[in-house]
Structures are given as C-alpha cells and as structure tokens.
Amino acid sequence: MSSAEVDAYIAAQNEPQREMLERAREVILEVIPQAQQLISYAMPAFKVEEGIVAFIAATKAGISYYPHSGQVLAMAGDILNGYSRTKAALHIPLGQELPRSIVERLIELKLELARS
C-alpha cells in the first residue's frame, strides 16, 4: 500500500469532496508528518508506529473523519460541537474544512489510547 493509492482514491472523487479530502490529508500530515499513507477498509488511512490513527472518506454530504476508535470522539468534548457525528465518525459537510485544532486533538486522543 502506498500514498499513490491514496492519491488515486482522492482523484477518483467528485468536487468538492476531492478538494476537501486533499485539505484533510494536508492537515493530518501537518500534524503527523511521519505517517504512512495507505488504503485500509477501502479508505485513505494514516499509520504511525502505534497503528492507524485516522481514516478519511468521501460521502455524499461531504467527507468523514474516522479516528479508528469508538472512544475518541466521545472523549473530544466541546470541540466537536456543531458537527454531526456517530460513535465512529465525524462528518464534515460540503464546503467546510476539517480544522487543524480538531485534527490535532483527535490524533492526540487516539495516540493516548494506543499507548495506554
């Protein structure tokens, strides 16, 4: 698996999801530049030594961010107010960006869980 497969996944999406995914990937890689990019569960994934810390995927209504843990979003608290979410996914509607501050916190929480 490689970043080329992630490139292909993103390139295959329609706008504006394609642009939203590119921006989400940029933000994730700014936070964890050492991450390996791969496709897992048919979605772009970002893996570090502790394991996969994030997935992103295109949806009809925008994109979704998956922290690869059913606990992370519940632990994030008020920073996710205003976003639709399930136990496993944070939904970013069309035309919005995934803020760096949210990505930083979600990755931090995921890594804390992985290390405990």
Side-chain angles (χ1 to χ4, degrees), residues 31-36 38 45-55 67-69 72 106-116:
V31 174
I32 48 170
Q34 74 278 17
Q36 175 189 2
L38 59 132
F46 301 86
K47 182 178 180 182
V48 294
E49 184 178 319
E50 294 85 352
I52 293 176
V53 295
F55 292 95
H68 197 53
S69 167
V72 170
L106 296 178
I107 290 173
E108 177 183 283
L109 290 169
K110 172 61 180 168
L111 290 173
E112 285 174 14
L113 285 171
R115 293 175 183 145
S116 62

Side-chain angles (χ1 to χ4, degrees), residues 21-97:
L21 288 167
E22 276 293 351
R23 182 63 190 134
R25 176 165 74 167
E26 287 172 11
V27 170
I28 292 166
L29 292 173
E30 287 171 5
V31 174
I32 48 170
Q34 74 278 17
Q36 175 189 2
Q37 298 177 66
L38 59 132
I39 297 292
S40 181
Y41 297 101
M43 297 180 286
F46 301 86
K47 182 178 180 182
V48 294
E49 184 178 319
E50 294 85 352
I52 293 176
V53 295
F55 292 95
I56 54 176
T59 66
K60 235 183 209 185
I63 66 169
S64 290
Y65 177 99
Y66 302 85
H68 197 53
S69 167
Q71 299 174 46
V72 170
L73 296 178
M75 294 168 58
D78 293 343
I79 67 166
L80 302 181
N81 285 350
Y83 289 94
S84 171
R85 61 184 183 257
T86 63
K87 183 178 178 181
L90 178 66
H91 306 293
I92 312 303
L94 292 173
Q96 290 190 17
E97 278 194 16

